[in-house]
Amino acid sequence: MASDDRVDVDLALVERFRGGERAAFDELVRRHQQALWRMARRYVKNDADAADVVQQAFVRAFRGLDRFRAASTVRTWLYRIAINLALNHVRDRAREQPADDDELAAHAESTRATGPQRIIDGEDQARLRAAIEALPPKQRLVLELRVYDDLPFKDVADLADCTENAAKVNFHYAVRRLRELLGAEVIA
Amino acid sequence: MTAEDRTRALLAAFADDPASLTAAERAEVEALLAHDADARAEAKAVRELLGAVRDLPQPTPPAWDALARSIGDAIDRAGPPSRWARLRAWILRPSIGIGVACAAAAAVGLWIAKRPASEPVLAHVDTPAIDAGAPVAPVVAPPRLFHDDPATAGELADLDQLDDAALDRLAASLGADPVDEIDDDNGGFAALDHDHRDHHAHHAAVAAADDPELDADSDALGDPDLDWVDELSDDDAAALTQWLTTHRSPT
């Protein structure tokens, strides 16, 4: 399976790095930087902050790879580091300058469509994005990790620090909450 | 979590991706969809909502090569972890931590097993003196048995070194006849056997004195002849009384 192949490749890179091969870590960066950046970008306000989060995440991973015990996959381990850094970044920024609705709208406008706009228009997209950001943190995390990162519920549960069943229930609550927030007319 | 919550949770996950469920969970949801029109409508609505979420415009990605280079530069600036950080990481590994804990527990257990047994703590009791005014008997050194170095525990005494006079004194203190000569055929134990018998008689008398079942007139103590006391002159009686006073046992 592709997933198993990815795990094996990551573990092999970790072993090579532990054997002193710095280039193996560079390969880990190339393999995972895109996913980490997209995840971080969902939380932070701009591309530069997302890049900072990813950079810090890899630096920490580099310095802490001795502590990696393969209890989870390398990808999940990297996600956990990046999620913690992103949430810390959001928390620190919220202390400095609370976000307002205009900023959320500007964020929606600044994005560029990369997929088909087959269901909802721009206004509804902004409402949907705002609704996602209004979800309780754990429900949002579970929803986004499933929808955008295609992580299996097992990995989602690991990152959300809950059981696999709890992750599925959180996913269900997130969907139900979005439907309540958006109403029936958005998804028409 | 209620049964309905669980069913709805499985339905949402199934609508997103049937492969995200176990075979048993998939079968459960498929059975529900087969006979429940509301469940089918909900699954359809969930699928459309999640499709809309997936279709949300995503931020423009950066130049990945440039990001990878900046990450490499940041790692170079940060440098490798210090030796202390590596040591700390090694110590904090669960297996190492458990090993260190087990070693510490073993060391403590060994220390407890090896330490000298503590003296039993006895409560100090002030016992009243039986006769506080009685003189204390002088400590008398045991008679010297050997001319030279005495035999130590476990050694056989060299009979040639025995001091005959000391043996006589020892025999007298035990109530036995003076030892005139050693019966070599019996290994010198003939006199000791005699002393041993007297020793047993003495112990029998003491035991009888301590035994409340036996009264003072019993044969075990014998019948001492004290008529000679009546024959003492006044001076002799006074001298005897004085002597008894000064040689009285402290007990």
Side-chain angles (χ1 to χ4, degrees), chain B residues 41-76:
Chain B
E42 182 172 341
K44 181 173 179 288
V46 169
R47 202 173 292 119
E48 288 175 347
L49 173 64
L50 294 176
V53 172
R54 280 199 177 86
D55 289 342
L56 281 176
Q58 297 300 309
T60 306
W64 298 121
D65 287 343
L67 180 59
R69 277 196 302 274
S70 73
I71 291 170
D73 291 345
I75 289 171
D76 289 339

Side-chain angles (χ1 to χ4, degrees), chain A residues 18 22 25-26 29-30 33-34 37-38 41-42 47 51 54-55 58-59 62-64 66-67 69 107 110-120 125-126 128-129 132 143 146-148 150 153 164-165 168-169 171-173 175-176 178-179 182 187-188, chain B residues 1 4-6 8-10 12-13 16-17 20-22 25 41-42 45-46 48-65 67-82 85-86 88-90 92-94:
Chain A
R18 284 173 170 165
R22 162 65 190 272
F25 192 85
D26 295 337
V29 170
R30 279 190 287 274
Q33 64 173 351
Q34 297 183 26
W37 185 88
R38 290 194 177 99
R41 186 62 184 83
R42 293 197 294 268
D47 294 354
V54 174
Q55 200 175 81
F58 277 114
V59 169
F62 179 82
R63 295 172 68 88
D66 285 339
R67 290 196 295 273
R69 299 182 299 274
H107 174 68
S110 70
T111 58
R112 181 173 62 87
T114 55
Q117 305 297 296
R118 55 189 167 86
I119 295 180
I120 55 178
Q125 287 175 356
L128 178 56
R129 191 179 301 279
I132 292 171
L143 178 83
R146 272 296 303 155
V147 172
Y148 294 125
D150 284 329
F153 275 110
E164 193 171 337
N165 280 336
K168 289 173 181 170
V169 171
F171 181 77
H172 159 59
Y173 285 161
V175 170
R176 191 175 69 181
L178 285 181
R179 292 174 71 190
L182 299 171
I187 313 298
Chain B
M1 180 172 61
E4 184 181 354
D5 277 342
R6 180 178 177 280
R8 297 294 174 190
L10 294 181
D16 176 41
D17 179 10
S20 67
L21 301 182
T22 63
E25 290 171 337
E42 182 172 341
V46 169
E48 288 175 347
L49 173 64
L50 294 176
V53 172
R54 280 199 177 86
D55 289 342
L56 281 176
Q58 297 300 309
T60 306
W64 298 121
D65 287 343
L67 180 59
R69 277 196 302 274
S70 73
I71 291 170
D73 291 345
I75 289 171
D76 289 339
R77 283 194 302 274
S82 65
R86 288 178 179 274
R88 182 174 170 275
W90 183 80
L92 290 180
R93 284 185 182 183

Side-chain angles (χ1 to χ4, degrees), chain B:
Chain B
M1 180 172 61
T2 65
E4 184 181 354
D5 277 342
R6 180 178 177 280
T7 303
R8 297 294 174 190
L10 294 181
L11 186 61
F14 181 91
D16 176 41
D17 179 10
S20 67
L21 301 182
T22 63
E25 290 171 337
R26 262 198 313 274
E28 186 179 341
V29 174
E30 285 167 352
L32 175 69
L33 293 173
H35 65 81
D36 190 333
D38 289 343
R40 286 195 296 273
E42 182 172 341
K44 181 173 179 288
V46 169
R47 202 173 292 119
E48 288 175 347
L49 173 64
L50 294 176
V53 172
R54 280 199 177 86
D55 289 342
L56 281 176
Q58 297 300 309
T60 306
W64 298 121
D65 287 343
L67 180 59
R69 277 196 302 274
S70 73
I71 291 170
D73 291 345
I75 289 171
D76 289 339
R77 283 194 302 274
S82 65
R83 284 186 174 184
W84 164 241
R86 288 178 179 274
L87 179 63
R88 182 174 170 275
W90 183 80
I91 290 172
L92 290 180
R93 284 185 182 183
S95 57
I96 302 297
I98 291 170
V100 169
C102 289
V108 170
L110 198 61
W111 177 76
I112 290 173
K114 290 279 186 182
R115 72 176 177 173
S118 58
E119 293 289 333
V121 179
L122 300 177
H124 178 71
V125 179
D126 287 320
T127 53
I130 295 175
D131 187 349
V136 177
V139 177
V140 180
R144 183 178 172 84
L145 289 177
F146 300 96
H147 296 298
D148 298 315
D149 295 332
T152 56
E155 289 181 351
L156 290 175
D158 184 352
L159 299 180
D160 292 338
Q161 291 185 7
L162 284 175
D163 181 342
D164 292 337
L167 281 175
D168 289 341
R169 287 196 299 275
L170 176 63
S173 67
L174 295 174
D177 296 330
V179 179
D180 294 330
E181 61 182 43
I182 300 296
D183 179 3
D184 288 334
D185 292 337
N186 195 25
F189 289 107
L192 293 178
D193 284 345
H194 174 72
D195 294 343
H196 200 60
R197 284 193 298 274
D198 285 352
H199 195 62
H200 274 291
H202 170 71
H203 274 287
V206 171
D210 291 338
D211 190 346
E213 298 285 329
L214 298 172
D215 60 32
D217 293 330
S218 72
D219 291 340
L221 281 177
D223 186 12
D225 181 7
L226 298 176
D227 290 341
W228 59 274
V229 175
D230 295 330
E231 297 173 6
L232 290 175
S233 66
D234 291 341
D235 291 338
D236 289 338
L240 177 60
T241 303
Q242 176 66 27
W243 186 91
L244 287 172
T245 301
T246 56
H247 290 80
R248 194 174 174 182
S249 167
T251 57

Side-chain angles (χ1 to χ4, degrees), chain A:
Chain A
M1 289 176 62
S3 176
D4 292 339
D5 291 345
R6 181 170 53 202
V7 170
D8 290 344
V9 171
D10 285 344
L11 285 177
L13 289 171
V14 168
E15 289 306 314
R16 282 169 53 194
F17 171 73
R18 284 173 170 165
E21 190 178 339
R22 162 65 190 272
F25 192 85
D26 295 337
E27 181 61 23
L28 280 175
V29 170
R30 279 190 287 274
R31 288 169 60 80
H32 296 287
Q33 64 173 351
Q34 297 183 26
L36 294 191
W37 185 88
R38 290 194 177 99
M39 187 280 299
R41 186 62 184 83
R42 293 197 294 268
Y43 286 90
V44 303
K45 301 300 178 190
N46 57 59
D47 294 354
D49 285 350
D52 281 346
V53 167
V54 174
Q55 200 175 81
Q56 288 178 49
F58 277 114
V59 169
R60 288 197 183 192
F62 179 82
R63 295 172 68 88
L65 204 52
D66 285 339
R67 290 196 295 273
F68 177 70
R69 299 182 299 274
S72 60
T73 63
V74 174
R75 178 175 65 163
T76 306
W77 183 65
L78 291 171
Y79 261 87
R80 183 186 295 281
I81 296 171
I83 287 172
N84 288 337
L85 287 169
L87 292 177
N88 287 346
H89 181 92
V90 171
R91 186 192 59 207
D92 293 345
R93 281 299 171 89
R95 285 180 186 154
E96 294 169 8
Q97 48 179 121
D100 54 33
D101 292 341
D102 291 343
E103 191 173 17
L104 293 177
H107 174 68
E109 285 297 317
S110 70
T111 58
R112 181 173 62 87
T114 55
Q117 305 297 296
R118 55 189 167 86
I119 295 180
I120 55 178
D121 59 20
E123 185 179 348
D124 288 338
Q125 287 175 356
R127 288 182 60 200
L128 178 56
R129 191 179 301 279
I132 292 171
E133 292 179 357
L135 288 172
K138 187 165 282 189
Q139 290 179 22
R140 179 185 173 187
L141 179 65
V142 169
L143 178 83
E144 292 184 332
L145 290 174
R146 272 296 303 155
V147 172
Y148 294 125
D149 299 291
D150 284 329
L151 294 182
F153 275 110
K154 180 178 180 298
D155 288 357
V156 171
D158 189 15
L159 291 169
D161 201 19
C162 64
T163 65
E164 193 171 337
N165 280 336
K168 289 173 181 170
V169 171
N170 272 293
F171 181 77
H172 159 59
Y173 285 161
V175 170
R176 191 175 69 181
R177 178 71 176 151
L178 285 181
R179 292 174 71 190
E180 291 169 357
L181 289 171
L182 299 171
E185 72 277 9
V186 173
I187 313 298

